[in-house]
Amino acid sequence: ARAPNSIFPTDKNNVSAWPAGLGQLTALGFRQHYLIGAEFRRRYMEQEPLLSPRYLPGQLYVRSTDVDRTLQSAVAQVAGLFPPGVGPALQVASQADRAVPPLRVHNLSDILSSLQLDALPSRYQPVSIHSVSPGDDMLMQTYLPEMCPRIAELESEQHRTQMWRDREDAEHDFLRALSKLVGMHLTLSSAALISDDLTCEQFQGLQWNEGITDSIHHRVMSIHSFVKHIAFGLPEFKRLVASAFFQELLLKFNEQIQGELPGEPPRNHRPRGRFALYSGHDTGIAAFLSALDLFDGTLPPFASTLVFELRRYPNATGGIVESYFVRVLYNDRLLSLPKCTADCPFEQFQNFLRSRITPDLQKACRLRHKTDTVRTDTEPAGTVQTTAAGSVLLVGEAWKQWVLVFLFGVVVGGLGVWSASRFSSSSSSAA
């Protein structure tokens, strides 16, 4: 969960109601993401040993959009994945004298006494979180008009359709009445700000202004969803918003299938690992679901999670055959791609995603400068010699979350997240 990005003029819950500031992750959001990380630890370390219980950099890759709340969401989720007590420690007490910086540290004796052999308090485990500048994130934020100008054109075109005009007529009287309650003139587009504010306040347990009811909230949320997702059904939109991420997903799956073993350096310096976590926004989750033809038009709730698992079929004798399938889970609900089973054969899954990939995304978006790009080559890498797998997790802010999990290994049961041996990738959103 997070604070609203803005508050309406007459809102009795002013900025002081949000101690960390507008648009920031709340304590509830930190807790949500920590619990997600703790559950992933149970699934992918304890139930199925995809990841080592202790952090190994080659197994995990974490990336976030360059926004405070998504970065913090990733930190909180990783804290659940690697809780206090599993972090680094000095090997022997004599190392304590060398583990002191060339800087005067006040109360050094007290600090060292409290640490004992722990490198950090409570043996905390830091994990690297990667990001790129907001204007260059084609992988996770292509849906933003400023990232892909063609998106802005598509949305503008939808605002001139009869469907848009009909909705404006249907909501005219409602928005006029609501404008008086919130102290600002509202249109279909600006109503989304009110929806965001009310949703955040409700989740935080704050009381709304007198006159604002659940029915008003539900109606303004419906308007918000209509405006935000107006272009999501367009085939061109689906290709634009998902091309880069689908390329990344297929690249990671193919690297695992082609035999890149855990611990080897990634090819062409691309991050691989067993588990990848991407922390982004609710719009990203909705956009990827739309590109998969699985979006139902409902705004993803706070800390939503989208998971992809790549698994190998076990044969009758318990060995492994070189046959793979993919599972997709959204908030733990198993989804089925169009014309495919829930356990979707990898080749069929790959062909479907390739049909949604635009070869030259920069050109299709009508960009004039180079931004963050995704490698498209998948070099052969031999055969898989182990049942170990990798995972990629796409996580979002406390508002929403993506989870991408790639899973390899002998899997008899059914589990899905973007995560582990099964090669797993997961995405979560904070919004």
Side-chain angles (χ1 to χ4, degrees):
R2 60 166 174 84
N5 290 313
S6 63
I7 54 178
F8 55 85
T10 62
D11 194 347
K12 67 179 182 180
N13 300 306
N14 56 31
V15 177
S16 64
W18 309 99
L22 296 180
Q24 298 297 318
L25 200 64
T26 64
L28 280 69
F30 278 107
R31 174 69 65 84
Q32 285 181 299
H33 284 285
Y34 176 82
L35 292 174
I36 290 172
E39 174 59 18
F40 285 156
R41 181 178 177 85
R42 185 193 69 81
R43 295 183 185 186
Y44 302 123
M45 293 182 193
E46 299 169 5
Q47 182 175 317
E48 297 186 90
L50 169 68
L51 295 174
S52 168
R54 296 188 182 278
Y55 175 61
L56 297 176
Q59 292 187 344
L60 176 67
Y61 175 73
V62 184
R63 175 163 168 172
S64 172
T65 57
D66 193 24
V67 178
D68 284 352
R69 62 181 180 267
T70 52
L71 289 161
Q72 292 174 340
S73 295
V75 170
Q77 195 159 132
V78 168
L81 198 59
F82 297 100
V86 303
L90 307 184
Q91 294 177 330
V92 293
S94 61
Q95 290 182 325
D97 293 335
R98 297 194 296 276
V100 176
L103 175 76
R104 183 183 177 187
V105 179
H106 289 281
N107 301 320
L108 178 61
S109 296
D110 293 340
I111 295 174
L112 295 181
S113 177
S114 66
L115 286 174
Q116 296 296 313
L117 292 182
D118 294 351
L120 298 170
S122 302
R123 203 166 289 188
Y124 169 74
Q125 176 60 67
V127 172
S128 299
I129 297 175
H130 304 269
S131 188
V132 299
S133 62
D136 292 329
D137 198 349
M138 290 293 286
L139 180 65
M140 296 177 63
Q141 291 188 291
T142 314
Y143 57 83
L144 293 177
E146 56 267 32
M147 279 300 306
C148 183
R150 178 57 181 154
I151 293 290
E153 294 175 3
L154 290 173
E155 291 179 343
S156 179
E157 291 169 4
Q158 292 302 299
H159 292 178
R160 297 192 294 271
T161 62
Q162 187 61 47
M163 178 175 63
W164 181 272
R165 290 192 291 270
D166 288 346
R167 189 64 183 257
E168 280 185 322
D169 291 341
E171 304 294 354
H172 178 270
D173 291 344
F174 170 74
L175 291 178
R176 184 176 181 181
L178 184 59
S179 295
K180 296 179 181 179
L181 284 175
V182 301
M184 60 183 288
H185 175 69
L186 294 177
T187 63
L188 283 182
S189 297
S190 61
L193 301 175
I194 307 303
S195 170
D196 178 65
D197 192 0
L198 296 179
T199 298
C200 292
E201 290 178 349
Q202 182 184 58
F203 199 87
Q204 189 71 10
L206 300 176
Q207 296 296 313
W208 291 328
N209 283 16
E210 185 177 352
I212 294 180
T213 63
D214 284 336
S215 62
I216 288 177
H217 180 219
H218 291 154
R219 186 163 179 177
V220 80
M221 282 184 65
S222 173
I223 297 173
H224 183 184
S225 182
F226 171 79
V227 172
K228 196 169 189 176
H229 307 135
I230 184 72
F232 275 34
L234 302 176
E236 182 181 1
F237 178 90
K238 294 178 181 182
R239 290 193 299 271
L240 291 174
V241 298
S243 284
F245 187 74
F246 284 177
Q247 282 182 340
E248 179 89 340
L249 176 57
L250 291 179
L251 170 64
K252 292 181 180 297
F253 280 160
N254 277 294
E255 283 180 340
Q256 294 290 328
I257 290 173
Q258 291 165 2
E260 291 198 0
L261 302 180
E264 291 185 353
R267 294 177 179 272
N268 293 349
H269 307 289
R270 293 295 300 172
R272 182 183 51 77
R274 292 184 175 187
F275 192 96
L277 167 65
Y278 296 88
S279 181
H281 307 260
D282 59 327
T283 305
I285 286 188
F288 296 148
L289 287 172
S290 174
L292 294 169
D293 289 342
L294 297 174
F295 183 59
D296 64 3
T298 304
L299 292 167
F302 289 126
S304 289
T305 302
L306 179 62
V307 175
F308 298 84
E309 293 181 343
L310 176 64
R311 298 170 176 260
R312 277 189 295 217
Y313 287 107
N315 63 26
T317 62
I320 297 176
V321 296
E322 296 305 310
S323 181
Y324 300 84
F325 64 94
V326 177
R327 286 181 179 167
V328 182
L329 294 97
Y330 172 53
N331 291 336
D332 259 359
R333 180 165 55 93
L334 187 61
L335 305 178
S336 296
L337 295 180
K339 300 179 181 179
C340 201
T341 59
D343 290 348
C344 189
F346 176 70
E347 287 301 322
Q348 193 169 344
F349 175 82
Q350 178 169 246
N351 290 337
F352 180 83
L353 261 60
R354 283 177 173 171
S355 72
R356 303 303 168 95
I357 292 175
T358 296
D360 190 341
L361 183 58
Q362 304 255 342
K363 181 178 180 181
C365 279
R366 302 180 183 175
L367 287 170
R368 297 180 181 178
H369 66 285
K370 184 177 180 180
T371 57
D372 184 39
T373 56
V374 177
R375 194 190 84 185
T376 57
D377 63 300
T378 52
E379 306 170 21
T383 58
V384 178
Q385 300 294 327
T386 176
T387 59
S391 74
V392 177
L393 174 66
L394 176 57
V395 178
E397 310 160 281
W399 174 237
K400 323 293 184 229
Q401 174 178 17
W402 313 332
V403 175
L404 169 61
V405 178
F406 305 126
L407 301 173
F408 283 119
V410 180
V411 177
V412 179
L415 171 63
V417 176
W418 295 356
S419 95
S421 181
R422 302 158 310 185
F423 181 66
S424 171
S425 167
S426 121
S427 158
S428 26
S429 109

